[in-house]
Amino acid sequence: MRAMKAEGGWAVVANQETEIHPTSDLSPFAENRLWDARDIPALRLMTDAVHDKGALAAIELVHNGNHAQNLVSRAPVLAPSDMSLDYPFPKQARAMDKSDIRTLRRWHRDAAIRARDAGFDIVYVYAGHRMTLAQHFMLPHMNRRCDEYGGSLENRVRLTRELLEDTKEAVGDTCAVAFRFAVDEMLGADGMQAAEEGRAIVEMLAELPDLWDVNVCEWANDSVTTRFQPQDGYQNDHISFVKAVTSKPVVGVGRLTSPDMMLSMVRKGIVDLIGAARPSIADPFLPRKIEEGRIDEIRECIGCNICIMADSVGAPIRCTQNPTMGEEWRRGWHPEIIAPKGAEAKALVVGAGPAGLECAMQLARRGYDVTLAEAGPELGGRVLNESRLPGLGAWARVRDYRVNDLRQRANVNIYTNSRLDAAQVVELGIPNVFTATGARWRADGVGRSTLRKPPVIGAGVHVMTPDDIVGGVMPPEGPVAVYDDDHAYIAGVIAEKLALAGYAVVFVTPESLVSSFTALTLEQHRVQTRLIELGVDIRCNRILKSLDQGAMQIACAFSGKPQAIACNSAILVTERIRETTLYDGLRGKGLTTLELIGDAAGPALIADAVYSGHKAARDFERPKEAVEQDWFRRERVEPGTGVQ
Ligand code: ADP
Ligand code: SF4
């Protein structure tokens, strides 16, 4: 994956946080480890691969203090002062004494030497995201010490200064030493602010690192979604002072996908170098495309944080926009290259949602004559509809990138307003058919919490689904109850839209948080805050029982205690029904290929629909047995060889 970024033109490829010691064990999250010399060969794989493609390799060395739970190592958790863990876990971190601090410095120094030996060109000292000890020591609410490591700012910065000096002394003659520093906690007067201690720290350490890598914290502010921060370069106001304080180069981030924004940041003297995580995930070839003037071909990050969701659950990385992300090694997928077509010449893709668009685009890239038929007047399916909801405008990039590509290809014919039935498809005579016909929300309230006892849907309440709202239909006047048994973003966004339109909205969910899945995309606190601020009446831990006579009957998820909510309309956000009429009608009709892809095969995230479309295009004309048997490459030891 990192070699792919190097190939795509990134000058430096950094790995994620790398634990320096078992007392900084971030499990269950999948981070790098450099606990001892036996971790070097694994990291060597990265540095060699990155160097092979002509980029520099950087390593972010961290000790995570009370952000680590040490679940695998079972080591004691360390912090500047006695305190709870960062996670709601019944375990506390202990205050480090002076000998702990000396030991920590040794661990960091040894890890820096191992990093150099693993071939890294840039070694980081890390004080970002409020996730590392160096930063924890800086923050007065985490550092309540009375010795020379606590109290005054100079004392609180002492550990960071020492780590920087130690690292420079250990590897500074062969590696650059970078310092990642969150200049602002984004808590106003309640936290460190760029204008005050943030700036003072940069002034104190100005010439010590070889490179300043500056951002804001916490992670939800650093990697904010487009729903809550549509503007790229959103960190500029906070980091812009840094270059005036140091003569060393400065790199910054901020979901930077637009070359114009990048250029203006360099021209205005905000940064010397453009940093990116999400934009490089969505398009590993972003720099190469800028260099070659292929700006239209940039696959822009949509700021949905599905990549972060995967990290949050300890699963392999994935991306809504880039279905090859995380599949480079295990499937051998390249984001820009796909095998040319085999013996078949033509393919029909039915449905132009994210699955159909991706499938059609990749088939066209492989050289097939592709016909894309869409029932609606516009291309984009659910992603187009959802992009019209409050805050989700950037999601249209999933459609725009693919439509832009498809429209430029001579081997693609696109038909809108073309709902096809099985007879029409057979009549077209195209032997290879990919049905990407999507799914629709069910209106009977059946979902994970009501499976055993489906709700009673009577008369006297106007029942609607997300399909109505995203399609532009609004409820009749009067109070609306939104029932969310889906827990992703959609019910919360719909409640927001209705509240903004002036409806009195009650939000009911069996979960104990609004849109609980969005905690994994770092948004949940913002979603709930927004609904509260819009006056939405939130009822958590409640299960839908019935809709009848102007009321939604609900019951406590624990005690079963009933409650009635007066409403004229109800929006039921529970499950989706796969649209397979066309696929079912085409079975047994003698087609060479008939594939069901996207939400029609299994309703899920937009990222899953794109992935499904991509995979179907890659697998087309591969022998069936190969597709079935060749799942993906796994990291395992071959018996007897010790080799993967
Ligand atoms: P996915 O997420 O799997 O791409 P979507 O629901 O976004 O699914 O898109 C499915 C698309 O398929 C919709 O735009 C819908 O209009 C279209 N569609 C559904 N049935 C047909 C059909 N029989 N003929 C043409 N288009 C269809
Ligand atoms: Fe951007 Fe979403 Fe891809 Fe993450 S998953 S890189 S936020 S498009």
Side-chain angles (χ1 to χ4, degrees), residues 462 464 469 472-482 494-506 531 534-537 568-571:
H462 185 76
M464 301 175 77
I469 307 296
V473 182
M474 292 296 265
E477 244 177 72
V480 187
V482 176
I494 286 173
E496 182 180 339
K497 179 179 166 100
L498 296 175
L500 287 169
Y503 289 88
V505 181
V506 184
L531 294 197
L534 286 169
V536 173
D537 176 358
N568 277 5
S569 329
I571 321 288

Side-chain angles (χ1 to χ4, degrees), residues 350-357 373-376 378-383 418-421 436-439 576 579 582 597-601 605-606 609-610:
V350 186
L357 287 174
E374 164 55 46
E378 288 179 90
L379 306 176
R382 66 178 284 201
V383 84
S418 302
R419 180 174 293 282
L420 299 182
D421 60 23
T437 43
R576 284 180 283 164
E579 180 46 70
L582 178 64
I597 60 173
D599 288 321
L605 296 167
I606 294 168
V610 172

Side-chain angles (χ1 to χ4, degrees), residues 342-373:
E344 293 293 327
K346 291 183 176 182
L348 169 68
V349 179
V350 186
L357 287 174
E358 174 69 15
C359 185
M361 183 179 78
Q362 297 300 345
L363 289 171
R365 285 181 177 176
R366 292 189 62 187
Y368 300 100
D369 285 330
V370 176
T371 302
L372 174 62

Side-chain angles (χ1 to χ4, degrees), residues 500-637:
L500 287 169
Y503 289 88
V505 181
V506 184
F507 187 95
V508 182
T509 176
E511 285 283 287
S512 43
L513 291 171
V514 169
S515 304
S516 56
F517 177 84
T518 63
L520 303 174
T521 52
L522 310 179
E523 300 170 287
Q524 195 286 324
H525 60 298
R526 292 194 164 102
V527 176
Q528 192 137 354
T529 305
R530 180 159 293 177
L531 294 197
I532 291 168
E533 286 174 355
L534 286 169
V536 173
D537 176 358
I538 296 169
R539 314 274 180 104
C540 291
N541 305 318
R542 297 289 183 277
I543 292 174
L544 174 64
K545 291 293 167 186
S546 71
L547 283 170
D548 204 12
Q549 305 300 324
M552 176 184 274
Q553 301 289 342
I554 56 177
C556 173
F558 301 102
S559 68
K561 190 175 170 194
Q563 214 178 17
I565 295 169
C567 59
N568 277 5
S569 329
I571 321 288
L572 301 181
V573 190
T574 59
E575 283 183 0
R576 284 180 283 164
I577 297 170
R578 299 183 297 123
E579 180 46 70
T580 60
T581 318
L582 178 64
Y583 177 80
D584 294 339
L586 287 171
R587 292 176 93 159
K589 291 286 189 299
L591 295 171
T592 309
T593 310
L594 176 62
E595 296 288 347
L596 185 64
I597 60 173
D599 288 321
L605 296 167
I606 294 168
D608 297 308
V610 172
Y611 180 84
S612 164
H614 188 93
K615 184 165 187 310
R618 291 235 181 213
D619 285 344
F620 181 36
E621 290 206 82
R622 284 181 69 204
K624 264 261 174 298
E625 315 75 64
V627 173
E628 270 165 24
Q629 282 165 25
D630 160 30
W631 198 216
F632 52 79
R633 215 170 143 199
R634 286 194 281 152
E635 294 169 66
R636 55 186 166 188
V637 174

